[in-house]
Amino acid sequence: MTTETMAEMTTILQGFREQILQAKEQGNALQIRGGGSKSWYGQEPVGNVVDTRRYCGIIAYEPTELVLTACSGTPLSEIEAVLAEQNQMLAFEPPHFGAGATLGGMLASGLSGPRRPYVGAVRDFVLGATLMDGKGEILEFGGQVMKNVAGYDVSRLLAGAMGSLGLILNISIKVLPRPFAETTLVFALSETDAIKKMNLWAGQALPISGSCWHVGRLMLRLSGAEAAVRSARQVLGGEEMHDAAAYWTALREQTQDFFSQDEEHGLWRLSVPSTSAALPLTGKSLIEWGGAQRWLFSDETPEAIRAAARAAGGHASLFRGGNKNIGVFTPLSTPLLKIHQRLKDAFDPAGIFNPGRLYKDF
């Protein structure tokens, strides 16, 4: 960054600090927001808006080191365009859910796309982060290299915290090269058979990078070296999908027809062990992540849906739409709730950052 740009960033940070200190003094809530593309996610946001979009720009990018550091308000589309020039990518395929998606929103929401079970989640790629806490102080965590740490790895704790711990300023993230070859195979399978196949193939040396089952069709994406992809295709069979890139983008962004259901029922996201059999729930479903992530539109009660997920060894969240008064995320056990509360108190003792966004009383 130029000296002029750095001076401008310093002014913006001072503005953030003043807004935080004023909110702390007056006891007002602050709603941290970037492009607003995920404002619908979690409980209803409340408070005066802290707009991160003015704090933007790529601070450092070393293609040979596979590390990028940028400000939280930087558009995801800008980052992905820069990476594409070097034939690199954010391997966990973060969903945008809108043109205004930012890097900070990516980390705060903690959401990952189709490649997640095969390469890791957002938190697995975060190397470091800078945070402004509830006292207006700037805290730095991690760095630009992978290393073991003792205690909490705070930079990774920010993933999925929905901005409840503080204002994310900068993020250092690991990137990966794009695969040399990629193809998608389609198989006609029932839900039960698809779950069995996905788990069988997951235990084999196959370059799988995406899987999705819906209404009798299993889509399997293969990525890697040309020889590996070609060999896997010969072993697996199936029919090759045309325009597969558009399919996986639509799945990531939830623009496929499946996701355009009646929002009165709400879209449920069930996280269960990949080997779990088809759940005893009525409705329309779509399965991702080798069987571990299951999307559901159903007339079943929230209690029944959560009970079925719990019986399978997982949990269920009301991802989009529906009645948020029931609680979007699965209630925490008392020990976990205490840990969450202690972390919140440590970083945001006045409770001003995105209050109630994760849980109504948190």
Side-chain angles (χ1 to χ4, degrees):
M1 290 186 177
T2 64
T3 302
E4 183 178 343
T5 302
M6 292 178 66
E8 181 181 352
M9 290 300 182
T10 300
T11 301
I12 293 172
L13 290 178
Q14 183 58 32
F16 286 155
R17 181 177 292 107
E18 292 173 358
Q19 195 171 2
I20 289 171
L21 293 178
Q22 184 180 38
K24 177 186 175 185
E25 179 70 22
Q26 299 177 353
N28 295 329
L30 291 178
Q31 178 190 155
I32 302 174
R33 187 175 70 192
S37 63
K38 302 176 186 68
S39 293
W40 47 267
Y41 184 52
Q43 300 293 149
E44 293 294 338
V46 297
N48 298 322
V49 174
V50 178
D51 193 335
T52 66
R53 288 176 295 178
R54 52 199 171 119
Y55 189 70
C56 63
I58 295 175
I59 299 171
Y61 174 38
E62 296 294 338
T64 57
E65 298 294 331
L66 299 177
V67 175
L68 180 143
T69 301
C71 300
S72 61
T74 310
L76 266 182
S77 57
E78 178 182 326
I79 290 173
E80 289 175 337
V82 169
L83 292 176
E85 292 176 357
Q86 299 295 326
N87 202 31
Q88 295 180 350
M89 64 179 182
L90 297 173
F92 49 90
E93 296 181 304
H96 294 209
F97 295 135
T102 62
L103 185 67
M106 175 202 77
L107 181 58
S109 65
L111 299 175
S112 302
R115 211 178 296 264
R116 181 256 183 267
Y118 311 102
V119 300
V122 178
R123 65 182 303 277
D124 300 311
F125 287 81
V126 178
L127 302 177
T130 304
L131 185 76
M132 185 173 287
D133 68 7
K135 300 176 183 178
E137 298 177 354
I138 295 178
L139 310 175
E140 295 184 0
F141 304 97
Q144 294 187 342
V145 295
M146 286 287 193
K147 60 181 179 181
N148 294 323
V149 294
Y152 291 119
D153 187 346
V154 175
S155 58
R156 297 188 183 191
L157 280 177
L158 299 176
M162 300 295 287
S164 62
L165 297 180
L167 173 60
I168 300 171
L169 298 176
N170 305 327
I171 303 167
S172 291
I173 196 159
K174 179 182 179 181
V175 301
L176 290 181
R178 288 181 175 276
F180 286 101
E182 199 162 79
T183 191
T184 296
L185 304 177
V186 183
F187 305 85
L189 292 169
S190 66
E191 180 178 4
T192 298
D193 289 340
I195 292 172
K196 290 179 180 178
K197 285 290 188 182
M198 285 188 286
N199 281 279
L200 173 65
W201 292 334
Q204 300 177 7
L206 297 168
I208 300 174
S209 63
S211 57
C212 177
W213 177 88
H214 180 49
V215 291
R217 298 173 75 231
L218 171 63
M219 278 60 69
L220 193 73
R221 184 174 61 185
L222 305 173
S223 304
E226 291 185 6
V229 171
R230 183 170 58 251
S231 175
R233 184 183 176 190
Q234 292 173 348
V235 170
L236 295 170
E239 296 183 6
E240 188 170 6
M241 173 185 283
H242 299 292
D243 199 18
Y247 172 84
W248 294 106
T249 297
L251 178 63
R252 181 193 75 187
E253 298 301 326
Q254 296 192 349
T255 55
Q256 291 185 2
D257 290 342
F258 168 80
F259 295 100
S260 302
Q261 306 289 336
D262 183 359
E263 289 206 359
E264 178 183 345
H265 297 104
L267 173 64
W268 286 88
R269 177 191 185 191
L270 285 70
S271 178
V272 297
S274 62
T275 54
S276 300
L279 301 179
L281 295 168
T282 59
K284 300 176 181 179
S285 64
L286 181 147
I287 300 176
E288 280 193 89
W289 295 6
Q293 179 166 262
R294 307 187 186 187
W295 301 100
L296 175 70
F297 285 100
S298 177
D299 287 322
E300 303 265 9
T301 64
E303 293 78 13
I305 292 172
R306 285 189 161 138
R310 188 167 56 250
H315 61 271
S317 302
L318 181 57
F319 190 74
R320 189 196 293 264
N323 179 14
K324 293 189 176 185
N325 290 328
I326 64 171
V328 170
F329 302 107
T330 299
L332 297 174
S333 64
T334 299
L336 282 177
L337 183 59
K338 289 181 178 179
I339 292 174
H340 274 241
Q341 191 62 60
R342 287 171 186 160
L343 284 169
K344 177 72 170 175
D345 291 343
F347 290 98
D348 181 23
I352 59 175
F353 291 126
N354 284 10
R357 193 71 190 274
L358 278 171
Y359 299 97
K360 288 183 288 185
D361 300 323
F362 178 72

